[in-house]
Amino acid sequence: MYSQISPHRADRIDLPGRYGAVAALRAPAAGTDLGATALLVPGFTGSKEDFAPLIDPLSDSGLEVVAIDLPGQYESAGPIAESDYRPAVLGEALAELVAKLSAEGRRVLLLGHSFGGLVARGAVFAGAPVAGLTLMSSGPGELPIGERRTALDQGEALMREHGIEAAHQVVEQRALANPNWPVLPDRLRDLLRDRFLRSTPSSLLGMGTAIRVEPDLVAKLARTLRTAQVPCLVVCGEADDAWSPAGQRDMAERLDADFAVLAGAAHSPNTETPDALLTTLLPTWRAWLTS
């Protein structure tokens, strides 16, 4: 079983960031170094550990791997104002990190999952010098109406009135609907709870608002990528229940990006079907680096 506690060789480090330390998992390239870094950005309520199943395979392929917590998320420092958690603002902070990695002489392959995809495109708008952009289980704008958005509405109301512990009850209720939840290792359930409760309330509220109001910026992104000659990949699970696969396919067409749908995956291919995801990522990224 793959999960956020899958074993890996990465070291837990702190990187300098706009708001203080950026918590990261970093693994050097193993074997033939391709001179590139895979920078992995998690989604709303996620963390760097979401990419645990990908770290060693990416490292073994010759890529350095850096997976981060977004500002205010789990172990990363963050700003105070909720408005500073909009994708445009977080994108500027992410672009600064990309620039620092690039200054080390490495090409950066930027991947954003879900809300992290909106932040990753914000980094591209901010001029991040990336060698390629991957949007995974992300969309053209705000989260569509559905069960996930309803849970966000409920969680925000509870957090504003009763605090973060009350909001976490909504998360736990959704988790209990998963038939696999009772058999998850205690260590994994503890991590999922701990990272939510250790995130700053302003980050959860700010990101939660942002994901419900973000405009469709696909046309702007297409122009930016074309001007900078940056290739793009859109990838999602066949059962994604956040942004639909059809909507993500349309986004890929508008971006003139490669597109892949992964069988057996829902909203988190990185933990649900990492082998299939890697089968898509690695050939695409190698082609970008050699073109």
Side-chain angles (χ1 to χ4, degrees):
M1 174 183 173
Y2 295 106
S3 75
Q4 289 83 353
I5 61 171
S6 291
H8 56 77
R9 300 188 301 268
D11 293 324
R12 164 65 176 87
I13 64 168
D14 286 329
L15 298 171
R18 173 180 289 196
Y19 305 109
V22 175
L25 296 172
R26 191 170 197 171
T32 302
D33 189 344
L34 299 177
T37 297
L39 178 56
L40 312 177
V41 183
F44 177 59
T45 75
S47 68
K48 57 194 176 302
E49 287 78 13
D50 287 336
F51 302 106
L54 305 181
I55 291 174
D56 287 0
L58 290 176
S59 172
D60 290 340
S61 75
L63 294 168
E64 178 188 49
V65 184
V66 177
I68 65 169
D69 293 341
L70 283 167
Q73 189 178 64
Y74 191 24
E75 297 180 316
S76 281
I80 297 174
E82 292 179 26
S83 59
D84 286 336
Y85 290 96
R86 299 294 175 91
V89 181
L90 293 179
E92 292 174 356
L94 182 60
E96 293 172 2
L97 178 57
V98 173
K100 290 172 184 174
L101 295 172
S102 296
E104 298 174 3
R106 307 195 68 82
R107 293 168 289 177
V108 176
L109 300 168
L110 181 60
L111 179 149
H113 173 228
S114 192
F115 180 76
L118 302 179
V119 177
R121 80 176 183 186
V124 172
F125 291 150
V130 298
L133 173 67
T134 299
L135 303 175
M136 183 176 73
S137 305
S138 192
E142 67 182 75
L143 184 68
I145 299 297
E147 193 275 335
R148 284 180 178 269
R149 183 151 177 163
T150 298
L152 274 176
D153 293 338
Q154 295 171 346
E156 177 188 6
L158 282 170
M159 184 177 295
R160 291 195 186 282
E161 186 171 356
H162 301 292
I164 194 169
E165 288 276 3
H168 186 257
Q169 292 178 6
V170 174
V171 177
E172 287 188 328
Q173 289 170 1
R174 295 188 71 249
L176 289 172
N178 182 344
N180 294 324
W181 181 255
V183 299
L184 293 183
D186 289 342
R187 180 180 162 216
L188 175 56
R189 285 188 284 186
D190 289 345
L191 170 64
L192 298 179
R193 174 182 172 82
D194 187 47
R195 73 179 184 180
F196 186 95
L197 296 177
R198 288 182 60 183
S199 295
T200 64
S202 59
S203 75
L204 292 169
L205 291 168
M207 292 182 197
T209 297
I211 203 171
R212 289 175 291 169
V213 301
E214 179 75 357
D216 185 325
L217 299 175
V218 174
K220 177 181 177 181
L221 181 60
R223 292 192 300 271
T224 304
L225 293 173
R226 185 168 55 249
T227 299
Q229 297 185 318
V230 172
C232 184
L233 167 68
V234 175
V235 59
C236 66
E238 64 178 353
D240 197 328
D241 62 345
W243 291 272
S244 70
Q248 293 182 67
R249 179 187 295 274
D250 176 73
M251 179 175 69
E253 291 175 354
R254 294 163 63 195
L255 291 172
D256 193 24
D258 293 330
F259 179 68
V261 176
L262 304 179
H267 188 57
S268 299
N270 40 302
T271 54
E272 296 159 348
T273 57
D275 292 335
L277 175 60
L278 289 162
T279 299
T280 295
L281 292 181
L282 289 174
T284 302
W285 288 358
R286 289 192 189 104
W288 292 352
L289 294 173
T290 57
S291 63

